[in-house]
Amino acid sequence: GNSVTQMEGPVTLSEEAFLTINCTYTATGYPSLFWYVQYPGEGLQLLLKATKADDKGSNKGFEATYRKETTSFHLEKGSVQVSDSAVYFCALRGIYNQGGKLIFGQGTELSVKP
Amino acid sequence: EADIYQTPRYLVIGTGKKITLECSQTMGHDKMYWYQQDPGMELHLIHYSYGVNSTEKGDLSSESTVSRIRTEHFPLTLESARPSHTSQYLCASSGLTGANYGYTFGSGTRLTVV
């Protein structure tokens, strides 16, 4: 079945450092891929998405490229801020939709120090 | 503004009490979901609905029940709360078919059973 694997956290960075959070997936065909962010005490918010191979999703300085050949969707940001401290979830939605359900990774906690 | 609302945000309740967690959305979405989020952050789908009078159990077995009498309303009920039910509960909705669309999440209810 479909699955998503994220790098384990917590990830601790200094302000202005480069961020990469790895995400790989297993799915049939070409699923749509998503990154969600959860700030402390809140629900999840959609950060960015990509719906076909080689698409790049971007938002708020974050980017992720849909790599079919490596089944990956790594999240990157060139210069993190303290306000980026949150939990990040990678997710996929299969082409067969499985009833429209998103499959989430286990989440990666990011802590950015001043 | 179209959104999804969860109440209460925080609830502390004694063992054996019956509780209902409310979730309402004003977007006219057909699909709605309940997730339980453990302290390790991982999300577990416990219930979902494709529309009025449709409810299905999710991937994680739960003693809670849900109902969907109106499109906008998807409450979750625990008949007899126990300390093992202590968790964060997140409600989400999705209105569009196809793999390109993600979820909109509520802010969550943090439940503590003492």
Side-chain angles (χ1 to χ4, degrees), chain A residues 48-59:
Chain A
L48 53 85
K49 69 177 183 180
T51 58
K52 59 183 187 294
D54 300 323
D55 264 2
K56 177 185 284 188
S58 62
N59 186 26

Side-chain angles (χ1 to χ4, degrees), chain A residues 32 34 36 38 41-44 46 49 51 87 89 93-95 97-102 104-109, chain B residues 9 31 33 35 37 40-43 45 48 50 59 88 90 94 96-103 105-107:
Chain A
S32 291
F34 305 84
Y36 282 83
Q38 184 178 30
E42 298 293 325
L44 278 69
L46 179 64
K49 69 177 183 180
T51 58
V87 179
F89 290 89
R93 197 170 194 181
I95 59 170
N97 232 359
Q98 296 182 285
K101 289 182 282 183
L102 282 176
F104 287 92
Q106 71 271 36
T108 302
E109 183 178 5
Chain B
R9 286 293 305 274
K31 298 181 179 66
Y33 310 85
Y35 284 85
Q37 185 173 30
M41 303 174 302
E42 194 163 352
L43 296 162
L45 180 67
Y48 60 100
Y50 293 148
D59 305 320
Q88 165 134 284
L90 294 169
S94 175
L96 297 169
T97 57
N100 292 350
Y101 304 99
Y103 294 175
F105 278 86
S107 297

Side-chain angles (χ1 to χ4, degrees), chain B residues 74-95:
Chain B
F74 191 42
L76 181 146
T77 299
L78 277 165
E79 290 292 334
S80 179
R82 294 208 300 269
S84 60
H85 296 138
T86 294
S87 189
Q88 165 134 284
Y89 293 84
L90 294 169
C91 182
S93 70
S94 175

Side-chain angles (χ1 to χ4, degrees), chain A residues 1 3 11-12 17 19 30 33 42 47 53 56 64 68 71-72 74 89 94 97-99 104-105 113:
Chain A
S3 66
V11 173
T12 302
L19 168 71
Y30 292 83
L33 301 172
E42 298 293 325
L47 182 59
K56 177 185 284 188
K68 178 65 176 174
T71 61
S72 65
H74 304 322
F89 290 89
N97 232 359
Q98 296 182 285
F104 287 92
K113 307 297 185 186

Side-chain angles (χ1 to χ4, degrees), chain A residues 71-94:
Chain A
T71 61
S72 65
F73 193 54
H74 304 322
L75 183 67
E76 297 181 336
K77 186 175 186 182
S79 176
V80 294
Q81 305 301 312
V82 172
S83 57
D84 294 326
S85 297
V87 179
Y88 293 81
F89 290 89
C90 186
L92 73 81
R93 197 170 194 181

